Amino acid sequence: MNQERVPRRSITGVIRSFFALNSSMIALLAMVVLVGMGEKMAERFLPLYLMAVGGTTWAVGSLNGMDNLLSALYSFPGGYLSDLLGYKKALIVFNLVAMVGYVIVILVPTWWAVLIGAVFFISWTAISLPAIMSLVSKAVPKDKRTMGVSLHSLTRRIPMALGPLVGGALIQVFGRIKGVRISFGVALLLGAVAIVLEVFFIEEDPDAGKKDRAVHLRDSIRFITPDLRNLLISDILIRFAEQIPYAFVVLWVVDRNGITPLQFGVLTTIEMVTAMLVYIPIAILADRNSKKPFVLTTFVFFTAFPIVLYFSRSFPALCGAFVLRGLKEYGEPTRKALIMDLAPENAKASTFGTYYLLRDLIVSVAAFGAAWLWNRGPGVNFFTAAAFGAAGTIYFAVFGRDLKSAV
């Protein structure tokens, strides 16, 4: 008797389905690795580079403040252009902008050239994130959205882990000035390769050119619901905890505690590998269970890191501190997925950009003030950061909505 045979799915098909992979997602992840690798080879060491070319701690603080301020100012235009042009064309434009910044730093080895170049290259993550989130929301099924965001977050950590390792080795061999400039040269080359991937492998945005008009800022602000507002307030306080010590971590580790740039690269790798190990398990659990506990746990890790860092004075102790720093990514994809779920279908990128505009605009105040705190002592800087983290954690514990019920 003939029996109809049921075809079995290939292992590749099962993997692609489980991780919500398709041609656009695969090209996106490859692009993230290439651009991120070039960026992170130099970004973590820019405070050291600034000091080496004649800058002061105020220049370091200004760079970090610019990072947050420009992230805020570029977030909404990034979402606006993504909605207007479509995510594919927008990503190409954003990569070209970053490459202009790399060229400035390569050609002009001064501290003020870094600040000018940063206007272009420091913007890439912030200006491109709304387009990336829009691509993810359209390229994967809704019930796989947290997985898609988590996969992007995990992939971002590959260059964040390897980039500082390679950058630290270049500084070890060629010195702080030449090593950083070589890193930016590599970043320029990798950015060009990423544009080729975007042109040939990312599918066109199905909604590109179909909108009568892009969503304006006043419209997007109305899309910030009470649930998003509570998340935004707690997120702002937590980012104070992150950004107040951020630019000075490398100075604390290398200049205050005698750790080499290469060892700092190893510490960054430990941080990113830790983050990568928790992304997929948490994505699976977050899609099936209440999401608030995952975000709340993330906020606890943000709060604890500056305290632990202050008491870490040796390489083994610092390894433990950077494991903790990696764990702060525990619930980040869940938070990003919630923003996309609550945003209107035809304006996800704009709403996401508006959220980050409001958040980073306020947080930039803390980043600019971080140098003042650092000059009064690392302990003042670190413990002030922890106090803001504690406030954000308590606020979310009391007022934050269970994320599962909001989706």
Side-chain angles (χ1 to χ4, degrees):
M1 182 175 65
N2 292 331
Q3 293 183 342
E4 185 177 351
R5 300 184 65 182
V6 178
R8 291 183 298 179
R9 298 171 67 186
S10 67
I11 294 177
T12 303
V14 171
I15 292 174
R16 288 170 68 97
S17 176
F18 180 79
F19 289 108
L21 291 173
N22 51 47
S23 61
S24 290
M25 280 296 295
I26 293 172
L28 169 67
L29 299 177
M31 177 207 73
V32 166
V33 170
L34 288 170
V35 176
M37 187 69 185
E39 180 186 20
K40 299 305 177 183
M41 285 174 64
E43 186 263 344
R44 282 294 177 95
F45 298 101
L46 277 178
L48 296 178
Y49 179 78
L50 279 170
M51 301 292 282
V53 294
T56 66
T57 55
W58 290 106
V60 173
S62 296
L63 178 67
N64 193 37
M66 283 178 59
D67 189 356
N68 285 271
L69 180 60
L70 293 177
S71 292
L73 297 178
Y74 290 160
S75 290
F76 182 78
Y80 184 95
L81 288 174
S82 179
D83 281 340
L84 190 66
L85 302 176
Y87 47 70
K88 178 175 180 175
K89 291 185 179 68
L91 287 171
I92 294 171
V93 170
F94 302 153
N95 276 9
L96 289 171
V97 169
M99 291 167 69
V100 170
Y102 299 155
V103 170
I104 291 173
V105 177
I106 293 169
L107 296 179
V108 187
T110 62
W111 65 268
W112 53 264
V114 174
L115 299 183
I116 294 174
V119 173
F120 299 92
F121 66 76
I122 233 170
S123 69
W124 190 85
T125 298
I127 203 169
S128 66
L129 192 56
I132 290 172
M133 291 296 104
S134 180
L135 188 159
V136 171
S137 70
K138 294 174 184 177
V140 304
K142 187 172 183 178
D143 62 350
K144 286 285 188 179
R145 193 167 286 164
T146 304
M147 178 62 76
V149 176
S150 296
L151 200 59
H152 165 255
S153 297
L154 186 152
T155 304
R156 280 185 62 211
R157 265 62 194 179
I158 295 174
M160 290 173 77
L162 297 180
L165 201 59
V166 176
L170 288 173
I171 291 174
Q172 198 88 352
V173 174
F174 297 103
R176 295 185 179 186
I177 297 176
K178 189 175 180 179
V180 169
R181 293 176 71 196
I182 291 173
S183 295
F184 275 113
V186 176
L188 188 66
L189 176 62
L190 295 178
V193 176
I195 289 177
V196 173
L197 286 177
E198 290 163 352
V199 170
F200 291 104
F201 296 101
I202 292 181
E203 296 180 5
E204 293 287 349
D205 188 340
D207 294 326
K210 294 182 180 179
K211 301 178 179 67
D212 295 330
R213 64 181 178 89
V215 177
H216 292 288
L217 178 59
R218 63 179 179 272
D219 301 316
S220 292
I221 289 176
R222 288 198 294 266
F223 297 147
I224 303 294
T225 64
D227 293 318
L228 265 181
R229 193 177 304 120
N230 281 333
L231 180 62
L232 177 60
I233 291 170
S234 55
D235 200 5
I236 287 169
L237 292 169
I238 290 298
R239 298 301 157 175
F240 271 55
E242 179 188 36
Q243 291 301 318
I244 287 173
Y246 182 84
F248 299 96
V249 170
V250 65
L251 298 182
W252 170 257
V253 172
V254 176
D255 288 345
R256 295 296 183 104
N257 289 292
I259 303 300
T260 68
L262 181 58
Q263 286 177 310
F264 182 78
V266 172
L267 291 173
T268 304
T269 300
I270 290 171
E271 173 191 347
M272 297 308 158
V273 170
T274 302
M276 291 163 62
L277 290 175
V278 301
Y279 275 135
I280 299 303
I282 296 306
I284 296 171
L285 292 173
D287 276 333
R288 297 176 182 175
N289 300 283
S290 299
K291 296 183 177 182
K292 180 175 178 178
F294 297 102
V295 177
L296 188 60
T297 304
T298 295
F299 289 174
V300 171
F301 290 138
F302 270 102
T303 303
F305 173 70
I307 299 173
V308 174
L309 181 65
Y310 180 75
F311 292 105
S312 300
R313 308 298 177 98
S314 65
F315 185 72
L318 287 165
C319 287
F322 275 73
V323 168
L324 180 63
R325 197 183 197 191
L327 289 173
K328 72 180 175 59
E329 302 294 332
Y330 189 84
E332 280 296 281
T334 304
R335 181 186 58 81
K336 292 175 182 175
L338 174 66
I339 299 171
M340 300 309 296
D341 285 338
L342 295 180
E345 287 298 324
N346 64 339
K348 289 188 179 299
S350 296
T351 305
F352 193 92
T354 302
Y355 178 99
Y356 275 77
L357 166 65
L358 297 173
R359 189 194 77 174
D360 291 340
L361 193 62
I362 298 172
V363 173
S364 65
V365 176
F368 277 114
W372 184 85
L373 293 170
W374 177 263
N375 286 337
R376 275 145 188 80
V380 176
N381 183 290
F382 294 162
F383 284 98
T384 300
F388 278 108
T393 302
I394 294 170
Y395 184 92
F396 187 74
V398 176
F399 298 106
R401 183 177 174 182
D402 189 311
L403 302 189
K404 185 177 182 181
S405 64
V407 174

